[in-house]
Each structure stands twice: as C-alpha cells, then as structure tokens.
CSV table of all heavy atoms in Angstrom, one decimal:
chain,number,residue,atom,x,y,z
M,1,MET,N,63.7,-57.5,-73.5
M,1,MET,CA,63.6,-56.1,-73.9
M,1,MET,C,63.3,-56.0,-75.4
M,1,MET,O,64.0,-56.6,-76.2
M,1,MET,CB,64.9,-55.3,-73.7
M,1,MET,CG,65.3,-55.2,-72.2
M,1,MET,SD,64.2,-54.2,-71.2
M,1,MET,CE,65.3,-52.8,-71.0
M,2,ALA,N,62.2,-55.2,-75.7
M,2,ALA,CA,61.8,-55.1,-77.0
M,2,ALA,C,62.3,-53.8,-77.7
M,2,ALA,O,61.9,-53.5,-78.8
M,2,ALA,CB,60.3,-55.2,-77.1
M,3,ILE,N,63.1,-53.2,-77.0
M,3,ILE,CA,63.6,-51.9,-77.6
M,3,ILE,C,64.6,-52.2,-78.7
M,3,ILE,O,65.5,-53.0,-78.5
M,3,ILE,CB,64.3,-51.1,-76.5
M,3,ILE,CG1,63.4,-50.7,-75.4
M,3,ILE,CG2,65.0,-49.8,-77.1
M,3,ILE,CD1,64.1,-50.2,-74.1
M,4,LYS,N,64.3,-51.6,-79.8
M,4,LYS,CA,65.2,-51.9,-81.0
M,4,LYS,C,66.3,-50.8,-81.0
M,4,LYS,O,66.0,-49.6,-80.9
M,4,LYS,CB,64.4,-51.7,-82.3
M,4,LYS,CG,64.2,-53.0,-83.0
M,4,LYS,CD,63.7,-52.8,-84.4
M,4,LYS,CE,63.5,-54.1,-85.1
M,4,LYS,NZ,62.8,-54.0,-86.4
M,5,LEU,N,67.5,-51.2,-80.9
M,5,LEU,CA,68.6,-50.3,-81.0
M,5,LEU,C,68.9,-49.9,-82.4
M,5,LEU,O,69.1,-50.6,-83.3
M,5,LEU,CB,69.8,-50.8,-80.4
M,5,LEU,CG,69.8,-51.0,-78.8
M,5,LEU,CD1,70.9,-52.0,-78.4
M,5,LEU,CD2,69.8,-49.8,-78.1
M,6,GLN,N,68.9,-48.6,-82.6
M,6,GLN,CA,69.3,-48.0,-83.9
M,6,GLN,C,70.7,-48.2,-84.1
M,6,GLN,O,71.5,-47.9,-83.2
M,6,GLN,CB,68.9,-46.5,-84.0
M,6,GLN,CG,67.5,-46.3,-84.2
M,6,GLN,CD,67.1,-46.5,-85.6
M,6,GLN,OE1,66.7,-47.6,-86.0
M,6,GLN,NE2,67.1,-45.5,-86.4
M,7,PRO,N,71.2,-48.8,-85.2
M,7,PRO,CA,72.6,-48.9,-85.5
M,7,PRO,C,73.3,-47.5,-85.5
M,7,PRO,O,72.7,-46.6,-86.0
M,7,PRO,CB,72.7,-49.6,-86.7
M,7,PRO,CG,71.4,-49.9,-87.2
M,7,PRO,CD,70.4,-49.2,-86.3
M,8,LYS,N,74.4,-47.4,-84.9
M,8,LYS,CA,75.1,-46.1,-84.8
M,8,LYS,C,76.4,-46.3,-85.7
M,8,LYS,O,76.9,-47.4,-85.8
M,8,LYS,CB,75.5,-45.7,-83.4
M,8,LYS,CG,74.3,-45.4,-82.5
M,8,LYS,CD,74.9,-44.9,-81.2
M,8,LYS,CE,74.0,-45.1,-80.0
M,8,LYS,NZ,74.7,-44.8,-78.8
M,9,HIS,N,77.0,-45.1,-86.0
M,9,HIS,CA,78.3,-45.3,-86.6
M,9,HIS,C,79.3,-45.4,-85.6
M,9,HIS,O,79.3,-44.8,-84.5
M,9,HIS,CB,78.6,-44.0,-87.5
M,9,HIS,CG,77.8,-43.9,-88.7
M,9,HIS,ND1,78.1,-44.8,-89.8
M,9,HIS,CD2,76.7,-43.3,-89.1
M,9,HIS,CE1,77.2,-44.6,-90.7
M,9,HIS,NE2,76.4,-43.6,-90.3
M,10,CYS,N,80.3,-46.3,-85.9
M,10,CYS,CA,81.3,-46.6,-85.0
M,10,CYS,C,82.2,-45.3,-84.7
M,10,CYS,O,82.4,-44.5,-85.7
M,10,CYS,CB,82.4,-47.7,-85.6
M,10,CYS,SG,83.7,-48.0,-84.6
M,11,GLN,N,82.4,-45.0,-83.5
M,11,GLN,CA,83.1,-43.7,-83.2
M,11,GLN,C,84.5,-43.6,-83.7
M,11,GLN,O,85.0,-42.5,-83.6
M,11,GLN,CB,83.1,-43.5,-81.7
M,11,GLN,CG,81.8,-43.5,-81.0
M,11,GLN,CD,81.0,-42.2,-81.5
M,11,GLN,OE1,81.5,-41.2,-81.2
M,11,GLN,NE2,79.8,-42.5,-82.1
M,12,CYS,N,85.1,-44.7,-84.1
M,12,CYS,CA,86.5,-44.5,-84.7
M,12,CYS,C,86.6,-43.9,-86.0
M,12,CYS,O,87.6,-43.4,-86.4
M,12,CYS,CB,87.2,-45.9,-84.6
M,12,CYS,SG,86.9,-46.8,-86.2
M,13,GLY,N,85.4,-43.8,-86.7
M,13,GLY,CA,85.4,-43.1,-88.0
M,13,GLY,C,85.6,-44.1,-89.1
M,13,GLY,O,85.8,-43.7,-90.3
M,14,CYS,N,85.4,-45.4,-88.9
M,14,CYS,CA,85.7,-46.4,-90.0
M,14,CYS,C,84.5,-46.5,-90.9
M,14,CYS,O,84.5,-47.0,-92.0
M,14,CYS,CB,86.0,-47.8,-89.4
M,14,CYS,SG,84.6,-48.6,-88.5
M,15,GLY,N,83.4,-45.9,-90.4
M,15,GLY,CA,82.1,-45.9,-91.3
M,15,GLY,C,81.3,-47.1,-91.0
M,15,GLY,O,80.2,-47.2,-91.6
M,16,GLY,N,81.7,-48.0,-90.2
M,16,GLY,CA,80.9,-49.1,-89.8
M,16,GLY,C,79.8,-48.8,-88.9
M,16,GLY,O,79.8,-47.8,-88.2
M,17,THR,N,78.8,-49.7,-88.9
M,17,THR,CA,77.7,-49.5,-87.8
M,17,THR,C,77.8,-50.5,-86.7
M,17,THR,O,78.2,-51.6,-87.0
M,17,THR,CB,76.3,-49.5,-88.5
M,17,THR,OG1,76.3,-50.7,-89.3
M,17,THR,CG2,76.1,-48.4,-89.4
M,18,CYS,N,77.3,-50.1,-85.6
M,18,CYS,CA,77.3,-51.0,-84.5
M,18,CYS,C,76.2,-50.6,-83.5
M,18,CYS,O,75.6,-49.6,-83.7
M,18,CYS,CB,78.7,-50.9,-83.7
M,18,CYS,SG,79.2,-49.2,-83.5
M,19,LYS,N,75.9,-51.4,-82.5
M,19,LYS,CA,74.8,-51.1,-81.7
M,19,LYS,C,75.2,-50.2,-80.5
M,19,LYS,O,74.4,-49.3,-80.1
M,19,LYS,CB,74.4,-52.4,-81.0
M,19,LYS,CG,73.5,-53.2,-81.9
M,19,LYS,CD,73.1,-54.6,-81.2
M,19,LYS,CE,72.3,-55.4,-82.3
M,19,LYS,NZ,72.1,-56.8,-81.7
M,20,GLY,N,76.5,-50.2,-80.1
M,20,GLY,CA,77.0,-49.3,-79.1
M,20,GLY,C,77.7,-48.1,-79.8
M,20,GLY,O,77.3,-47.7,-80.8
M,21,ASN,N,78.8,-47.7,-79.2
M,21,ASN,CA,79.6,-46.6,-79.7
M,21,ASN,C,80.7,-47.2,-80.6
M,21,ASN,O,81.3,-46.5,-81.4
M,21,ASN,CB,80.2,-45.7,-78.6
M,21,ASN,CG,79.2,-44.9,-78.0
M,21,ASN,OD1,78.2,-44.5,-78.6
M,21,ASN,ND2,79.4,-44.7,-76.7
M,22,TRP,N,81.0,-48.5,-80.4
M,22,TRP,CA,82.2,-49.1,-81.1
M,22,TRP,C,81.8,-50.4,-81.8
M,22,TRP,O,81.1,-51.2,-81.2
M,22,TRP,CB,83.3,-49.3,-80.1
M,22,TRP,CG,83.6,-48.1,-79.3
M,22,TRP,CD1,83.3,-47.7,-78.1
M,22,TRP,CD2,84.5,-47.0,-79.8
M,22,TRP,NE1,83.8,-46.6,-77.7
M,22,TRP,CE2,84.6,-46.0,-78.7
M,22,TRP,CE3,85.2,-46.8,-80.9
M,22,TRP,CZ2,85.3,-44.9,-78.8
M,22,TRP,CZ3,86.0,-45.6,-81.0
M,22,TRP,CH2,86.0,-44.7,-80.0
M,23,ILE,N,82.4,-50.7,-82.8
M,23,ILE,CA,82.6,-52.1,-83.3
M,23,ILE,C,83.6,-52.7,-82.3
M,23,ILE,O,84.6,-52.0,-82.0
M,23,ILE,CB,83.0,-52.1,-84.8
M,23,ILE,CG1,81.9,-51.6,-85.7
M,23,ILE,CG2,83.5,-53.5,-85.2
M,23,ILE,CD1,82.3,-51.4,-87.2
M,24,PRO,N,83.3,-53.9,-81.9
M,24,PRO,CA,84.3,-54.5,-80.9
M,24,PRO,C,85.7,-54.4,-81.3
M,24,PRO,O,86.1,-54.8,-82.4
M,24,PRO,CB,83.8,-56.0,-80.9
M,24,PRO,CG,82.4,-55.9,-81.2
M,24,PRO,CD,82.2,-54.8,-82.1
M,25,GLY,N,86.6,-53.8,-80.4
M,25,GLY,CA,88.0,-53.7,-80.7
M,25,GLY,C,88.4,-52.4,-81.3
M,25,GLY,O,89.5,-52.0,-81.3
M,26,HIS,N,87.4,-51.7,-81.8
M,26,HIS,CA,87.8,-50.4,-82.6
M,26,HIS,C,88.1,-49.2,-81.6
M,26,HIS,O,88.9,-48.3,-82.0
M,26,HIS,CB,86.6,-49.9,-83.5
M,26,HIS,CG,86.5,-50.7,-84.8
M,26,HIS,ND1,86.0,-50.3,-85.9
M,26,HIS,CD2,87.0,-52.0,-85.0
M,26,HIS,CE1,86.1,-51.2,-86.9
M,26,HIS,NE2,86.7,-52.3,-86.3
M,27,ASP,N,87.6,-49.4,-80.3
M,27,ASP,CA,88.0,-48.4,-79.4
M,27,ASP,C,89.5,-48.5,-79.1
M,27,ASP,O,90.2,-47.5,-78.9
M,27,ASP,CB,87.2,-48.4,-78.1
M,27,ASP,CG,87.1,-49.8,-77.5
M,27,ASP,OD1,87.4,-50.8,-78.3
M,27,ASP,OD2,86.8,-50.0,-76.3
M,28,GLN,N,90.0,-49.7,-79.0
M,28,GLN,CA,91.3,-50.0,-78.8
M,28,GLN,C,92.2,-49.6,-80.0
M,28,GLN,O,93.3,-49.0,-79.9
M,28,GLN,CB,91.6,-51.5,-78.5
M,28,GLN,CG,91.0,-51.9,-77.2
M,28,GLN,CD,91.5,-51.1,-76.0
M,28,GLN,OE1,92.7,-50.8,-75.8
M,28,GLN,NE2,90.6,-50.7,-75.2
M,29,GLN,N,91.6,-49.7,-81.2
M,29,GLN,CA,92.4,-49.4,-82.4
M,29,GLN,C,92.5,-47.8,-82.5
M,29,GLN,O,93.5,-47.3,-82.9
M,29,GLN,CB,91.6,-49.8,-83.6
M,29,GLN,CG,91.8,-51.3,-83.9
M,29,GLN,CD,91.2,-51.8,-85.2
M,29,GLN,OE1,91.0,-51.0,-86.1
M,29,GLN,NE2,90.9,-53.0,-85.3
M,30,LEU,N,91.5,-47.1,-82.0
M,30,LEU,CA,91.5,-45.6,-82.1
M,30,LEU,C,92.5,-45.2,-81.0
M,30,LEU,O,93.4,-44.3,-81.3
M,30,LEU,CB,90.1,-45.1,-81.7
M,30,LEU,CG,90.1,-43.6,-81.6
M,30,LEU,CD1,90.5,-42.9,-82.9
M,30,LEU,CD2,88.7,-43.1,-81.2
M,31,ARG,N,92.5,-45.8,-79.8
M,31,ARG,CA,93.5,-45.5,-78.8
M,31,ARG,C,94.9,-45.7,-79.3
M,31,ARG,O,95.8,-44.9,-79.1
M,31,ARG,CB,93.2,-46.4,-77.6
M,31,ARG,CG,94.1,-46.0,-76.4
M,31,ARG,CD,94.0,-46.9,-75.2
M,31,ARG,NE,94.2,-48.3,-75.6
M,31,ARG,CZ,95.4,-48.9,-75.8
M,31,ARG,NH1,96.4,-48.1,-75.7
M,31,ARG,NH2,95.4,-50.1,-76.2
M,32,LYS,N,95.1,-46.8,-80.0
M,32,LYS,CA,96.5,-47.1,-80.6
M,32,LYS,C,96.8,-46.1,-81.6
M,32,LYS,O,98.0,-45.7,-81.6
M,32,LYS,CB,96.5,-48.5,-81.2
M,32,LYS,CG,97.3,-49.5,-80.4
M,32,LYS,CD,97.5,-50.8,-81.4
M,32,LYS,CE,96.5,-51.8,-81.1
M,32,LYS,NZ,96.7,-53.0,-82.0
M,33,ALA,N,95.9,-45.7,-82.4
M,33,ALA,CA,96.2,-44.7,-83.5
M,33,ALA,C,96.5,-43.4,-82.8
M,33,ALA,O,97.4,-42.7,-83.3
M,33,ALA,CB,95.0,-44.6,-84.4
M,34,ILE,N,95.8,-43.0,-81.8
M,34,ILE,CA,96.1,-41.7,-81.2
M,34,ILE,C,97.5,-41.8,-80.4
M,34,ILE,O,98.3,-40.8,-80.6
M,34,ILE,CB,95.1,-41.4,-80.1
M,34,ILE,CG1,93.7,-41.1,-80.8
M,34,ILE,CG2,95.4,-40.2,-79.2
M,34,ILE,CD1,92.5,-41.1,-79.8
M,35,GLU,N,97.8,-42.8,-79.8
M,35,GLU,CA,99.0,-43.0,-79.2
M,35,GLU,C,100.2,-43.0,-80.2
M,35,GLU,O,101.2,-42.3,-79.9
M,35,GLU,CB,99.1,-44.4,-78.4
M,35,GLU,CG,98.3,-44.3,-77.0
M,35,GLU,CD,98.4,-45.6,-76.3
M,35,GLU,OE1,99.4,-46.4,-76.6
M,35,GLU,OE2,97.5,-46.0,-75.6
M,36,HIS,N,100.0,-43.6,-81.4
M,36,HIS,CA,100.9,-43.6,-82.3
M,36,HIS,C,101.2,-42.2,-82.9
M,36,HIS,O,102.3,-41.8,-83.1
M,36,HIS,CB,100.5,-44.6,-83.5
M,36,HIS,CG,101.5,-44.6,-84.6
M,36,HIS,ND1,102.6,-45.4,-84.5
M,36,HIS,CD2,101.5,-44.0,-85.8
M,36,HIS,CE1,103.3,-45.3,-85.7
M,36,HIS,NE2,102.7,-44.4,-86.5
M,37,GLU,N,100.1,-41.5,-83.0
M,37,GLU,CA,100.2,-40.1,-83.6
M,37,GLU,C,100.9,-39.2,-82.7
M,37,GLU,O,101.7,-38.4,-83.1
M,37,GLU,CB,98.8,-39.6,-83.8
M,37,GLU,CG,98.7,-38.4,-84.7
M,37,GLU,CD,99.2,-38.7,-86.1
M,37,GLU,OE1,98.9,-39.8,-86.7
M,37,GLU,OE2,99.8,-37.8,-86.7
M,38,VAL,N,100.7,-39.3,-81.4
M,38,VAL,CA,101.3,-38.4,-80.4
M,38,VAL,C,102.6,-38.8,-79.9
M,38,VAL,O,103.3,-38.1,-79.3
M,38,VAL,CB,100.3,-37.9,-79.3
M,38,VAL,CG1,99.1,-37.3,-79.8
M,38,VAL,CG2,100.0,-39.1,-78.4
M,39,GLY,N,102.9,-40.1,-80.1
M,39,GLY,CA,104.2,-40.6,-79.6
M,39,GLY,C,104.0,-41.5,-78.3
M,39,GLY,O,105.0,-41.7,-77.6
M,40,GLY,N,102.9,-41.9,-78.0
M,40,GLY,CA,102.7,-42.8,-76.8
M,40,GLY,C,101.7,-42.2,-75.8
M,40,GLY,O,101.3,-41.1,-75.9
M,41,LEU,N,101.4,-43.1,-74.9
M,41,LEU,CA,100.4,-42.7,-73.9
M,41,LEU,C,100.8,-41.7,-73.0
M,41,LEU,O,100.1,-40.7,-72.6
M,41,LEU,CB,100.0,-44.0,-73.1
M,41,LEU,CG,98.9,-43.9,-72.2
M,41,LEU,CD1,97.6,-43.6,-72.9
M,41,LEU,CD2,98.6,-45.3,-71.5
M,42,VAL,N,102.1,-41.6,-72.7
M,42,VAL,CA,102.7,-40.6,-71.8
M,42,VAL,C,102.5,-39.2,-72.4
M,42,VAL,O,102.2,-38.2,-71.8
M,42,VAL,CB,104.1,-40.9,-71.5
M,42,VAL,CG1,104.8,-39.8,-70.7
M,42,VAL,CG2,104.2,-42.2,-70.7
M,43,GLU,N,102.9,-39.1,-73.7
M,43,GLU,CA,102.7,-37.9,-74.5
M,43,GLU,C,101.3,-37.5,-74.5
M,43,GLU,O,101.0,-36.3,-74.4
M,43,GLU,CB,103.3,-38.1,-75.9
M,43,GLU,CG,104.7,-37.7,-76.0
M,43,GLU,CD,105.1,-36.4,-75.6
M,43,GLU,OE1,104.7,-35.4,-76.3
M,43,GLU,OE2,105.8,-36.2,-74.5
M,44,LEU,N,100.4,-38.5,-74.8
M,44,LEU,CA,99.0,-38.2,-74.9
M,44,LEU,C,98.5,-37.6,-73.6
M,44,LEU,O,97.8,-36.5,-73.5
M,44,LEU,CB,98.2,-39.5,-75.1
M,44,LEU,CG,96.7,-39.3,-75.1
M,44,LEU,CD1,96.2,-38.4,-76.2
M,44,LEU,CD2,96.1,-40.7,-75.4
M,45,ARG,N,98.9,-38.1,-72.5
M,45,ARG,CA,98.5,-37.6,-71.2
M,45,ARG,C,99.1,-36.1,-71.0
M,45,ARG,O,98.3,-35.3,-70.5
M,45,ARG,CB,99.2,-38.5,-70.1
M,45,ARG,CG,98.9,-38.0,-68.7
M,45,ARG,CD,99.7,-38.7,-67.7
M,45,ARG,NE,99.1,-38.7,-66.4
M,45,ARG,CZ,99.6,-39.4,-65.3
M,45,ARG,NH1,100.7,-40.0,-65.5
M,45,ARG,NH2,99.0,-39.4,-64.2
M,46,ARG,N,100.3,-35.9,-71.5
M,46,ARG,CA,100.9,-34.6,-71.3
M,46,ARG,C,100.0,-33.6,-72.1
M,46,ARG,O,99.8,-32.5,-71.6
M,46,ARG,CB,102.4,-34.6,-71.7
M,46,ARG,CG,103.1,-33.4,-71.4
M,46,ARG,CD,104.5,-33.4,-72.0
M,46,ARG,NE,104.5,-33.5,-73.5
M,46,ARG,CZ,104.1,-32.4,-74.2
M,46,ARG,NH1,103.8,-31.2,-73.7
M,46,ARG,NH2,104.1,-32.6,-75.5
M,47,ILE,N,99.7,-33.9,-73.3
M,47,ILE,CA,98.9,-33.1,-74.1
M,47,ILE,C,97.6,-32.8,-73.5
M,47,ILE,O,97.1,-31.7,-73.5
M,47,ILE,CB,98.7,-33.7,-75.6
M,47,ILE,CG1,100.1,-33.7,-76.3
M,47,ILE,CG2,97.7,-32.9,-76.4
M,47,ILE,CD1,100.2,-34.6,-77.6
M,48,VAL,N,96.9,-33.8,-73.0
M,48,VAL,CA,95.6,-33.6,-72.5
M,48,VAL,C,95.7,-32.7,-71.2
M,48,VAL,O,94.9,-31.9,-70.9
M,48,VAL,CB,94.9,-35.0,-72.2
M,48,VAL,CG1,93.6,-34.7,-71.5
M,48,VAL,CG2,94.7,-35.7,-73.5
M,49,GLU,N,96.7,-33.0,-70.4
M,49,GLU,CA,97.0,-32.2,-69.2
M,49,GLU,C,97.1,-30.7,-69.5
M,49,GLU,O,96.6,-29.9,-68.8
M,49,GLU,CB,98.1,-32.7,-68.4
M,49,GLU,CG,97.8,-34.0,-67.6
M,49,GLU,CD,99.0,-34.5,-66.9
M,49,GLU,OE1,100.2,-34.1,-67.2
M,49,GLU,OE2,98.8,-35.4,-66.0
M,50,GLU,N,97.8,-30.5,-70.7
M,50,GLU,CA,98.0,-29.1,-71.1
M,50,GLU,C,96.7,-28.5,-71.5
M,50,GLU,O,96.4,-27.3,-71.2
M,50,GLU,CB,99.0,-29.1,-72.3
M,50,GLU,CG,100.4,-28.6,-71.9
M,50,GLU,CD,101.2,-28.6,-73.2
M,50,GLU,OE1,100.8,-28.2,-74.2
M,50,GLU,OE2,102.4,-29.0,-73.0
M,51,LEU,N,95.9,-29.2,-72.2
M,51,LEU,CA,94.6,-28.7,-72.6
M,51,LEU,C,93.7,-28.4,-71.4
M,51,LEU,O,92.9,-27.5,-71.4
M,51,LEU,CB,93.9,-29.7,-73.6
M,51,LEU,CG,94.5,-29.7,-75.0
M,51,LEU,CD1,93.9,-30.9,-75.7
M,51,LEU,CD2,94.1,-28.5,-75.7
M,52,LEU,N,93.7,-29.4,-70.4
M,52,LEU,CA,92.8,-29.2,-69.3
M,52,LEU,C,93.3,-28.3,-68.2
M,52,LEU,O,92.6,-28.0,-67.3
M,52,LEU,CB,92.5,-30.6,-68.7
M,52,LEU,CG,91.9,-31.7,-69.7
M,52,LEU,CD1,91.7,-32.9,-69.0
M,52,LEU,CD2,90.5,-31.2,-70.1
M,53,HIS,N,94.6,-28.0,-68.3
M,53,HIS,CA,95.3,-27.2,-67.3
M,53,HIS,C,95.2,-27.8,-65.9
M,53,HIS,O,95.0,-27.3,-64.9
M,53,HIS,CB,94.7,-25.8,-67.2
M,53,HIS,CG,94.8,-25.0,-68.5
M,53,HIS,ND1,96.1,-24.6,-68.9
M,53,HIS,CD2,94.0,-24.7,-69.4
M,53,HIS,CE1,96.0,-24.0,-70.1
M,53,HIS,NE2,94.7,-24.0,-70.4
M,54,ARG,N,95.2,-29.2,-65.9
M,54,ARG,CA,95.3,-29.9,-64.7
M,54,ARG,C,95.9,-31.3,-65.0
M,54,ARG,O,96.0,-31.8,-66.1
M,54,ARG,CB,94.0,-30.0,-64.0
M,54,ARG,CG,92.9,-30.8,-64.8
M,54,ARG,CD,91.6,-30.7,-64.1
M,54,ARG,NE,90.5,-31.1,-65.0
M,54,ARG,CZ,90.1,-32.4,-65.1
M,54,ARG,NH1,90.7,-33.3,-64.5
M,54,ARG,NH2,89.0,-32.7,-66.0
M,55,SER,N,96.3,-31.9,-63.9
M,55,SER,CA,97.0,-33.2,-64.1
M,55,SER,C,96.0,-34.3,-64.1
M,55,SER,O,94.9,-34.2,-63.4
M,55,SER,CB,98.1,-33.4,-63.0
M,55,SER,OG,97.5,-33.4,-61.7
M,56,ILE,N,96.3,-35.4,-64.7
M,56,ILE,CA,95.4,-36.6,-64.8
M,56,ILE,C,95.9,-37.5,-63.8
M,56,ILE,O,97.1,-37.9,-63.8
M,56,ILE,CB,95.4,-37.1,-66.1
M,56,ILE,CG1,94.8,-36.2,-67.2
M,56,ILE,CG2,94.6,-38.5,-66.1
M,56,ILE,CD1,95.0,-36.6,-68.6
M,57,ASP,N,95.2,-37.8,-62.7
M,57,ASP,CA,95.5,-38.7,-61.7
M,57,ASP,C,94.9,-40.1,-62.0
M,57,ASP,O,93.8,-40.2,-62.4
M,57,ASP,CB,95.0,-38.3,-60.4
M,57,ASP,CG,95.6,-36.9,-60.0
M,57,ASP,OD1,96.8,-36.8,-60.2
M,57,ASP,OD2,94.9,-36.1,-59.4
M,58,VAL,N,95.8,-41.0,-61.9
M,58,VAL,CA,95.3,-42.4,-62.1
M,58,VAL,C,94.8,-42.9,-60.7
M,58,VAL,O,95.4,-42.8,-59.7
M,58,VAL,CB,96.6,-43.4,-62.5
M,58,VAL,CG1,96.1,-44.8,-62.5
M,58,VAL,CG2,97.2,-42.9,-63.7
M,59,GLN,N,93.6,-43.3,-60.8
M,59,GLN,CA,92.9,-43.8,-59.6
M,59,GLN,C,93.3,-45.3,-59.4
M,59,GLN,O,93.1,-46.2,-60.1
M,59,GLN,CB,91.4,-43.9,-59.8
M,59,GLN,CG,90.8,-42.5,-60.0
M,59,GLN,CD,91.0,-41.5,-58.9
M,59,GLN,OE1,90.9,-41.9,-57.7
M,59,GLN,NE2,91.3,-40.2,-59.2
M,60,PRO,N,94.1,-45.4,-58.3
M,60,PRO,CA,94.5,-46.8,-58.0
M,60,PRO,C,93.3,-47.7,-57.7
M,60,PRO,O,92.4,-47.3,-57.0
M,60,PRO,CB,95.5,-46.7,-56.9
M,60,PRO,CG,95.2,-45.4,-56.2
M,60,PRO,CD,94.5,-44.5,-57.3
M,61,THR,N,93.4,-49.0,-58.1
M,61,THR,CA,92.3,-49.8,-57.8
M,61,THR,C,92.6,-50.4,-56.4
M,61,THR,O,93.5,-50.0,-55.7
M,61,THR,CB,92.3,-51.1,-58.8
M,61,THR,OG1,93.7,-51.5,-59.1
M,61,THR,CG2,91.7,-50.7,-60.1
M,62,GLN,N,91.8,-51.3,-56.0
M,62,GLN,CA,91.9,-51.7,-54.5
M,62,GLN,C,93.2,-52.2,-54.0
M,62,GLN,O,93.5,-52.4,-52.8
M,62,GLN,CB,90.7,-52.6,-54.2
M,62,GLN,CG,90.8,-53.9,-54.8
M,62,GLN,CD,89.8,-54.1,-55.9
M,62,GLN,OE1,89.6,-53.1,-56.7
M,62,GLN,NE2,89.2,-55.2,-56.1
M,63,HIS,N,94.1,-52.5,-55.0
M,63,HIS,CA,95.4,-52.9,-54.6
M,63,HIS,C,96.2,-51.9,-53.7
M,63,HIS,O,96.0,-50.7,-54.0
M,63,HIS,CB,96.3,-53.3,-55.8
M,63,HIS,CG,95.7,-54.3,-56.7
M,63,HIS,ND1,95.7,-55.6,-56.3
M,63,HIS,CD2,95.1,-54.2,-57.9
M,63,HIS,CE1,95.1,-56.4,-57.3
M,63,HIS,NE2,94.7,-55.5,-58.3
M,64,THR,N,96.8,-52.3,-52.8
M,64,THR,CA,97.6,-51.4,-52.0
M,64,THR,C,98.9,-51.0,-52.8
M,64,THR,O,99.4,-51.9,-53.4
M,64,THR,CB,98.0,-52.0,-50.6
M,64,THR,OG1,98.6,-53.3,-50.9
M,64,THR,CG2,96.8,-52.2,-49.7
M,65,ARG,N,99.2,-49.8,-52.6
M,65,ARG,CA,100.3,-49.3,-53.4
M,65,ARG,C,101.6,-49.8,-52.9
M,65,ARG,O,101.9,-49.7,-51.7
M,65,ARG,CB,100.3,-47.8,-53.5
M,65,ARG,CG,99.7,-47.3,-54.8
M,65,ARG,CD,100.0,-45.9,-55.1
M,65,ARG,NE,98.9,-45.0,-54.6
M,65,ARG,CZ,98.9,-43.7,-54.8
M,65,ARG,NH1,100.0,-43.1,-55.2
M,65,ARG,NH2,97.9,-43.0,-54.5
M,66,LYS,N,102.4,-50.2,-53.7
M,66,LYS,CA,103.8,-50.6,-53.2
M,66,LYS,C,104.8,-49.5,-53.5
M,66,LYS,O,104.7,-48.8,-54.4
M,66,LYS,CB,104.3,-51.9,-54.0
M,66,LYS,CG,103.7,-53.1,-53.5
M,66,LYS,CD,104.1,-54.4,-54.3
M,66,LYS,CE,103.4,-55.6,-53.8
M,66,LYS,NZ,103.5,-56.7,-54.8
M,67,HIS,N,105.6,-49.3,-52.5
M,67,HIS,CA,106.6,-48.2,-52.6
M,67,HIS,C,107.9,-48.7,-53.0
M,67,HIS,O,108.3,-49.9,-52.9
M,67,HIS,CB,106.7,-47.5,-51.2
M,67,HIS,CG,105.5,-46.8,-50.9
M,67,HIS,ND1,105.2,-45.5,-51.4
M,67,HIS,CD2,104.5,-47.1,-50.1
M,67,HIS,CE1,104.0,-45.1,-50.9
M,67,HIS,NE2,103.6,-46.1,-50.1
Y,1,ZN,ZN1,85.3,-48.5,-86.2
C-alpha cells in the first residue's frame, strides 16, 4: 500500500503523534486514568449508564455462562 498515513495526535492528550489513534499502550493508560479518577470501572459504568439513561450490557463471548 502506497498510502501515506498522516501522523495523528495520540487521543490520550499526551501530545505525541502516532499512525492510529493511540501510541501503543496509551489507550490503556487513558482507561486507567479515567478509572482512577472516577473510582474504578464499576463507577465508570454507573456514570456512563446515568448519562446514557440505559444500562451497559456486557456481551458474553462464546463461552457458556456458568451459574
Ligand atoms: Zn498518548
């Protein structure tokens, strides 16, 4: 492919440039920072559910659910 990708700014806000949306690992760093800020993934889900006025359902992968 001869398409030249324009470097983009990393979405985490670090000011770095990358080919995709993230410098490798920075998406996880942003997730961690958000979780830290709101008090964890469970809190984050609760906040987002409040904003969206609906619940976030986890789509189970092909594993059969154990009861
Ligand atoms: Zn970054």
Side-chain angles (χ1 to χ4, degrees):
M1 296 290 254
I3 300 164
K4 252 193 183 175
L5 289 167
Q6 283 283 87
K8 293 188 210 170
H9 285 287
C10 177
Q11 296 296 299
C12 85
C14 67
T17 52
C18 47
K19 285 177 182 171
N21 288 327
W22 305 98
I23 289 170
H26 283 207
D27 51 340
Q28 294 303 315
Q29 284 187 23
L30 177 61
R31 185 187 53 76
K32 248 196 265 176
I34 293 169
E35 283 179 26
H36 180 78
E37 195 64 38
V38 299
L41 190 57
V42 175
E43 273 299 293
L44 176 61
R45 180 195 206 174
R46 193 186 59 73
I47 291 164
V48 174
E49 282 178 346
E50 254 181 43
L51 282 170
L52 299 177
H53 300 290
R54 61 184 166 89
S55 63
I56 296 168
D57 295 320
V58 176
Q59 300 295 323
T61 44
Q62 66 258 38
H63 298 288
T64 49
R65 258 197 263 180
K66 279 176 185 168
H67 291 280

